[in-house]
Amino acid sequence: MTLQLDRGKVWTYQDYLELPEDGRRYEIIDGVLYVSPSPRQVHQLLSRRLQFFFYQFELEGRGFVYNAPMDLLMPGCTPVQPDLIFLTREQRPLILDKYIEGVPELLVEILSPSTRSLDRVKKLNRYAKNGVQFYLIVDPEASTLEVFVHQAGRFVLDASLGQEDSWTYQDKTLDLAALFASLPD
């Protein structure tokens, strides 16, 4: 379960830096601190498979992929830790030593029981407000991928895909049967 801590306080990045390194994921959205437990094994498996997909672009010199935990600082997000962050080659200046500062091309969140609501509501709205171009939500329980595209200041659901589908980003195609193959219970 994701918890909001100290609801009366407006949390800052400096407050975040003073939190313990205890294996939990801490994120600040609109000044509210959220804490989640470490991801489950199915979450890590999907994250790795998606990272390999986006790593193809990095190998070709076309972008950079980062997996959590990696702090991402954007207005209202100080920080968030998306499961995957993809930046284009042109966005290289956003990558700093300890965090990424600015709006990346694409973000991925993999749903878990503890983050489902946060990923689908708070993060979706904040990412849209900041102008993230693509937001992918992966649901391991349903074996689905939802692709949101930024249009006119908000996200529009571009595709809702299942195991029998594939998704193409730029010139590469992600086979969802392979993505969701042999997931642990």
Side-chain angles (χ1 to χ4, degrees):
M1 167 184 288
T2 299
L3 299 173
Q4 287 180 275
L5 297 181
D6 201 353
R7 294 180 191 197
K9 178 178 180 166
V10 176
W11 287 80
T12 66
Y13 187 61
Q14 186 58 45
D15 295 325
Y16 167 83
L17 293 175
E18 295 171 9
L19 291 168
E21 293 187 28
D22 57 8
R24 296 183 181 135
R25 287 177 79 171
Y26 294 98
E27 300 177 286
I28 300 173
I29 302 172
D30 295 324
V32 177
L33 177 67
Y34 296 89
V35 60
S36 304
S38 296
R40 299 176 310 158
Q41 112 178 329
V42 66
H43 184 282
Q44 296 291 36
L45 184 61
L46 287 168
S47 178
R48 185 176 65 247
R49 290 175 181 177
L50 286 166
Q51 187 175 12
F52 286 162
F53 174 76
F54 287 105
Y55 186 58
Q56 296 173 79
F57 296 98
E58 191 168 320
L59 289 173
E60 295 172 1
R62 295 165 53 193
F64 306 91
V65 62
Y66 290 89
N67 62 305
M70 171 53 84
D71 293 349
L72 172 61
L73 303 176
M74 300 185 293
C77 301
T78 54
V80 288
Q81 292 187 1
D83 293 312
L84 288 174
I85 302 168
F86 180 77
L87 300 106
T88 63
R89 179 180 56 231
E90 295 76 24
Q91 293 177 310
R92 173 67 181 94
L94 302 179
I95 305 167
L96 304 176
D97 182 44
K98 294 188 176 192
Y99 52 85
I100 295 169
E101 186 170 21
V103 180
E105 166 88 355
L106 182 148
L107 296 174
V108 178
E109 295 288 1
I110 301 166
L111 300 180
S112 65
S114 65
T115 65
R116 183 173 297 277
S117 176
L118 185 64
D119 293 341
R120 286 195 167 282
V121 180
K122 294 269 187 204
K123 287 185 173 183
L124 181 138
N125 290 325
R126 179 44 68 187
Y127 295 167
K129 194 171 193 175
N130 279 302
V132 172
Q133 292 303 301
F134 299 93
Y135 181 41
L136 309 183
I137 296 179
V138 179
D139 187 337
E141 291 179 13
S143 296
T144 59
L145 170 69
E146 293 175 310
V147 179
F148 293 89
V149 177
H150 192 265
Q151 293 179 1
R154 64 187 186 94
F155 280 132
V156 174
L157 180 62
D158 185 60
S160 185
L161 306 168
Q163 284 186 287
E164 66 283 354
D165 299 312
S166 61
W167 175 65
T168 301
Y169 177 71
Q170 296 183 20
D171 60 345
K172 307 234 179 280
T173 300
L174 176 66
D175 177 7
L176 297 186
L179 177 66
F180 293 113
S182 303
L183 293 180
D185 293 332

